[in-house]
Amino acid sequence: MFVDKTKIFVKGGDGGNGIVSYRRELYVPNGGPAGGDGGRGGNVIFRVDEGLRTLVDFRYQKHFKAKPGDRGKVKGMHGANAEDMIVRVPPGTVVVDDDTQEIIADMTRQGQEVVIARGGRGGRGNMRFATANNPAPDISENGEEGEERWVVLELKVMADVGLVGFPSVGKSTLLSVVSGAKPKIGAYHFTTITPNLGVVDVGDGRNFVMADLPGLIEGASEGVGLGHEFLRHVERTRIIIHVIDMAATEGRDPFDDWMKINAELRQYNEKLSDRPQIIAANKMDMPGADEQLELFKEQLAEVEGGDKYEIMPMSSLTRQGVQELLYRAADVLETVPEQPLIEEVSELAERKVYKFEERDQIKFRVFREDEIFVVESEGIERLMRRTNLNSYDAVMRFARILRNLGVDKELRKIGAKDGDICRIGHYQFEFFEGTDYIF
């Protein structure tokens, strides 16, 4: 079973919570804070494994969640960090964020690793909040939530040579003749619905990987037929062998077929028009093929840039010209860089871990929604998730931070009074104007 596109859910592990603890030592009468920090949650990491060829494993397992970090320990001990989750993917996998359609990674090299979902950092224990004014704080932080997202995995077959052409022009037969691959061969359109790979031994010590790609028809760049299911694999090939039914056994014009397919390749990706292309004039053993070939050459000469295409007459059935085609393909491959075409991946922005001290960076907006006053801010919501709302000291600290940010002042400006309900994220609080605190 060949699976080349799937959608999965990934989530980094949550950070462990920090704890509130105090020393209980015989000769230390006043003790002191001793709560340790929580451990970091595990990352979800994709790693390229050349032993894989399809995404079929992801058809049955759709969710990948890394383990959370351990909570902090007594005596100031740090909670254990969680191990990263390693997910193996085949080479040629492109990872796309399902929400933004941004390309996260293009994975091509054996052993290449990319962090797809980062684990959250652990929360701080009460040791970290001790000050001269408050030497024994009853404050600790919750761990940061791990990153989560839906991603789409697209597999683009990585082959040196890709066979393209209309259905039933002989691509599968050619692959079966020159390699040990055994693709399905039938006298009907779209016999091949998934790519087939075969290793070709040229015979002079050289070899390369050839891919028989599903048949292409007019309109494929817009999704007609197999459409993008075919075209995504063409991007990975270093050179293209364009197989033409030169005997016109299907009643189509060979030159018209060649023009239509090249147009579809250009419309899908303009760079494909620059890819080295060899025209394999197949079925030369059939009646009328020689006359069609001469006409094809005349028409090709009239096309701008037509002289850059080389025509190799052949017949997969009688194997006439097949060896010459392999020699020529191997020669052209030696002039093409081995590095496959890589998707453009935007540079990931530096990930900044938020700290309470960086309050000047927090932006917020307040507005009224019916009888409720709403505070909208990602930074403040992140603060709230890390605050232990079951601790009075922690809640008071959170309220002081909001007052210093100017949240209370802005709420008063839009009419908030003692006892009014305020909402931050999924939490609701009462506003007390006299103390400037939000609970």
Side-chain angles (χ1 to χ4, degrees):
M1 181 182 297
F2 188 91
V3 178
D4 62 353
K5 188 172 184 179
T6 189
K7 179 179 173 181
I8 64 172
F9 176 80
V10 293
K11 184 183 187 307
D14 296 336
N17 296 337
I19 67 167
V20 174
S21 177
Y22 300 94
R23 296 203 302 269
R24 298 289 188 269
E25 300 178 25
L26 180 62
Y27 299 106
V28 185
N30 295 325
D37 299 345
R40 177 188 60 81
N43 299 323
V44 178
I45 299 176
F46 283 8
R47 177 186 294 165
V48 175
D49 185 346
E50 287 184 345
L52 300 178
R53 279 292 175 264
T54 75
L55 300 173
V56 67
D57 292 343
F58 298 99
R59 192 167 191 172
Y60 307 104
Q61 184 178 356
K62 295 285 189 181
H63 291 75
F64 296 85
K65 298 181 180 179
K67 293 182 178 180
D70 288 351
R71 66 193 297 269
K73 309 295 183 183
V74 298
K75 298 183 181 179
M77 291 188 292
H78 197 289
N81 295 331
E83 292 186 0
D84 294 333
M85 170 178 272
I86 305 297
V87 180
R88 299 184 306 142
V89 298
T93 301
V94 178
V95 187
V96 182
D97 187 292
D98 188 54
D99 291 330
T100 64
Q101 296 304 306
E102 178 186 7
I103 297 173
I104 302 171
D106 187 357
M107 313 194 65
T108 58
R109 304 185 311 276
Q110 166 67 9
Q112 179 184 357
E113 292 186 351
V114 176
V115 177
I116 303 300
R118 295 186 179 276
R121 67 171 181 144
R124 293 179 290 183
N126 67 332
M127 279 187 64
R128 305 287 290 275
F129 296 96
T131 63
N133 294 331
N134 186 9
D138 192 33
I139 301 172
S140 66
E141 284 180 347
N142 296 328
E144 185 179 58
E145 294 180 351
E147 185 180 11
E148 61 181 60
R149 60 186 5 162
W150 282 93
V151 296
V152 175
L153 306 184
E154 294 185 359
L155 176 60
K156 298 183 179 181
V157 170
M158 297 180 65
D160 298 310
V161 177
L163 301 177
V164 305
F166 264 80
S168 299
V169 295
K171 299 185 299 297
S172 298
T173 304
L174 176 59
L175 181 66
S176 68
V177 166
V178 301
S179 74
K182 293 180 172 40
K184 184 178 180 180
I185 300 173
Y188 54 90
H189 288 188
F190 297 109
T191 310
T192 304
I193 58 175
T194 60
N196 293 302
L197 291 177
V199 177
V200 178
D201 184 0
V202 179
D204 58 359
R206 295 181 293 178
N207 58 70
F208 54 82
V209 178
M210 179 181 286
D212 164 28
L213 303 172
L216 183 63
I217 61 176
E218 189 175 8
S221 61
E222 300 173 357
V224 177
L226 294 176
H228 293 168
E229 305 302 318
F230 158 82
L231 287 165
R232 81 162 58 96
H233 300 296
V234 183
E235 291 180 286
R236 286 289 191 231
T237 58
R238 293 165 59 196
I239 71 170
I240 295 172
I241 293 182
H242 196 147
V243 184
I244 302 290
D245 177 6
M246 200 55 70
T249 56
E250 294 281 325
R252 296 188 309 267
D253 177 49
F255 186 77
D256 187 53
D257 284 0
W258 181 80
M259 292 289 289
K260 286 178 178 177
I261 290 185
N262 280 336
E264 295 300 329
L265 294 176
R266 282 194 302 273
Q267 289 178 28
Y268 180 75
N269 189 335
E270 187 66 33
K271 293 180 180 178
L272 290 178
S273 60
D274 299 327
R275 200 69 49 85
Q277 182 180 135
I278 301 172
I279 300 175
N282 195 22
K283 303 187 181 181
M284 292 303 296
D285 58 310
M286 301 290 288
D290 292 329
E291 292 78 6
Q292 288 285 356
L293 178 60
E294 292 304 318
L295 178 60
F296 186 94
K297 290 179 179 179
E298 293 175 5
Q299 293 172 313
L300 183 62
E302 297 175 0
V303 176
E304 183 179 354
D307 54 344
K308 72 176 182 179
Y309 298 101
E310 187 172 359
I311 303 175
M312 304 291 294
M314 56 158 287
S315 171
S316 298
L317 186 62
T318 65
R319 304 200 178 190
Q320 169 196 348
V322 170
Q323 190 61 48
E324 289 76 8
L325 175 65
L326 299 184
Y327 284 140
R328 185 56 191 149
D331 291 341
V332 175
L333 280 173
E334 291 179 351
T335 66
V336 179
E338 291 190 8
Q339 183 65 28
L341 177 68
I342 304 299
E343 297 286 344
E344 293 183 3
V345 181
S346 58
E347 293 185 6
L348 297 178
E350 182 182 353
R351 184 169 182 268
K352 296 181 179 178
V353 177
Y354 176 76
K355 297 181 180 180
F356 284 136
E357 290 75 18
E358 297 172 352
R359 296 168 194 163
D360 57 332
Q361 298 179 6
I362 298 180
K363 307 296 181 184
F364 65 89
R365 182 172 75 96
V366 297
F367 58 92
R368 188 164 183 168
E369 194 174 84
D370 296 330
E371 298 301 318
I372 297 178
F373 295 87
V374 180
V375 180
E376 190 177 75
S377 168
E378 290 185 8
I380 292 176
E381 289 183 28
R382 187 164 54 244
L383 266 170
M384 177 171 292
R385 288 194 296 269
R386 293 179 63 83
T387 300
N388 182 5
L389 298 179
N390 294 321
S391 167
Y392 178 79
D393 286 359
V395 171
M396 289 298 99
R397 181 173 183 274
F398 179 63
R400 287 195 298 273
I401 291 174
L402 294 186
R403 185 180 61 211
N404 293 336
L405 286 172
V407 174
D408 296 5
K409 181 178 178 181
E410 294 301 318
L411 286 172
R412 289 197 300 273
K413 283 183 180 180
I414 63 173
K417 294 189 171 34
D418 190 14
D420 286 342
I421 301 299
C422 297
R423 187 176 76 233
I424 301 177
H426 300 294
Y427 296 91
Q428 291 188 350
F429 304 84
E430 287 186 45
F431 178 75
F432 288 86
E433 188 178 12
T435 58
D436 288 343
Y437 286 161
I438 295 180
F439 297 91

